[in-house]
């Protein structure tokens, strides 16, 4: 007499429909097939616990090394600061004083390479009166460090341009301090110095 073929357990079919990960499906199939034909109440509870564990694994594919697409809050803040830094640089290159004013906090303080301190209004007035024209700003070694709603950006830079028709070049380093106010990153302080 031929042995009777066992029909698939209906719970396995349900798990197959729920599963979206081959590894989980294989695990579920092993758990169900390992069940003895006759079970006591405690064996049934063990099987139920195993099934619940399997369902939890199915519901969390990141446990199997699959990447999740969650946005890192630090990454989004660093990207926002980079955008604001780009506006700052763009404002300097294009002499767009409105754009620069929008990047600076009302309490902005600039420390120049000569050691002179200027407020936001004084710095913008000095830029307007300046006869030099920047043609290029090259940046390197840029790093951004976040401290909650405060960020410190350090950068090495090279500025090229003309002043009253004569070419000039300036190499330096800058430290920009950014603070998140009312959901917007604003620059509160900049210190720059010459560098080789």
């Amino acid at each position: 007499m031929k042995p009777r073929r066992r029909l698939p357990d209906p719970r396995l079919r349900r798990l197959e429909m729920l599963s979206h990960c081959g590894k989980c499906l294989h695990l579920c199939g092993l758990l169900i097939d390992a069940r003895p034909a006759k079970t006591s109440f405690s064996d049934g509870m063990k099987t139920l616990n195993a099934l619940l564990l399997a369902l939890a694994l199915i519901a969390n594919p990141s446990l199997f090394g699959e990447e999740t697409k969650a946005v890192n809050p630090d990454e989004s803040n660093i990207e926002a600061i980079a955008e604001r830094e780009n506006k700052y640089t763009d404002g300097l290159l294009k002499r767009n004083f409105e754009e620069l004013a929008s990047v600076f906090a009302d309490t902005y303080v600039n420390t120049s390479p000569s050691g002179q301190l200027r407020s936001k209004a004084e710095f913008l007035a000095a830029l307007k009166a300046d006869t030099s024209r920047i043609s290029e700003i090259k940046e390197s070694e840029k790093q951004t460090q976040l401290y909650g709603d405060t960020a410190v950006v350090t950068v090495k830079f090279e500025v090229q341009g003309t002043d009253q028709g004569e070419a000039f070049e300036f190499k330096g380093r800058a430290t920009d301090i950014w603070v998140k106010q009312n959901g917007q990153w604003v620059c509160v302080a900049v210190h720059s110095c010459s560098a080789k």
Side-chain angles (χ1 to χ4, degrees):
M1 188 170 154
K2 281 186 171 178
R4 268 181 89 182
R5 194 171 144 226
R6 215 169 115 188
L7 294 175
D9 190 312
R11 286 177 291 183
L12 178 60
R13 282 195 299 267
R14 274 184 252 129
L15 283 172
E16 285 175 355
M17 289 186 284
L18 289 174
S19 178
H20 61 333
C21 174
K23 295 175 189 174
C24 297
L25 181 61
H26 181 69
L27 176 63
C28 293
L30 289 176
L31 290 172
I32 290 173
D33 287 343
R35 185 178 89 251
K38 293 182 183 180
T39 58
S40 67
F41 178 76
S42 65
D43 287 341
M45 289 305 294
K46 287 178 188 175
T47 302
L48 180 61
N49 286 339
L51 284 173
L52 291 174
L53 174 64
L55 286 173
L57 291 172
I58 290 169
N60 193 354
S62 65
L63 294 175
F64 293 103
E66 293 180 20
E67 286 188 34
T68 56
K69 302 294 183 205
V71 176
N72 181 343
D74 284 349
E75 280 182 32
S76 64
N77 281 322
I78 288 172
E79 287 173 10
I81 293 164
E83 281 181 34
R84 300 294 282 173
E85 283 271 331
N86 289 338
K87 279 189 167 202
Y88 187 176
T89 302
D90 190 57
L92 290 172
L93 284 168
K94 295 180 179 173
R95 297 180 56 81
N96 185 338
F97 305 113
E98 288 177 16
E99 186 169 40
L100 285 169
S102 74
V103 171
F104 301 147
D106 291 337
T107 57
Y108 173 82
V109 176
N110 181 284
T111 307
S112 71
S114 66
Q116 184 174 10
L117 285 176
R118 291 188 175 116
S119 67
K120 176 179 180 175
E122 292 167 334
F123 182 69
L124 291 171
L127 285 176
K128 288 177 186 176
D130 189 13
T131 58
S132 66
R133 298 296 179 257
I134 299 171
S135 59
E136 185 176 15
I137 300 175
K138 295 178 188 174
E139 296 180 334
S140 62
E141 301 176 28
K142 195 170 207 172
Q143 294 183 10
T144 303
Q145 300 295 323
L146 283 175
Y147 304 96
D149 285 346
T150 303
V152 177
V153 178
T154 56
V155 63
K156 186 175 183 181
F157 64 89
E158 183 178 326
V159 176
Q160 294 177 349
T162 58
D163 189 5
Q164 298 179 354
E166 290 188 37
F168 75 87
E169 182 177 281
F170 180 81
K171 294 179 182 180
R173 289 193 177 270
T175 302
D176 303 342
I177 311 297
W178 295 84
V179 174
K180 195 172 195 178
Q181 294 179 345
N182 302 318
Q184 182 71 37
W185 287 97
V186 290
C187 188
V188 294
V190 170
H191 179 268
S192 56
C193 64
S194 61
K196 293 182 180 184

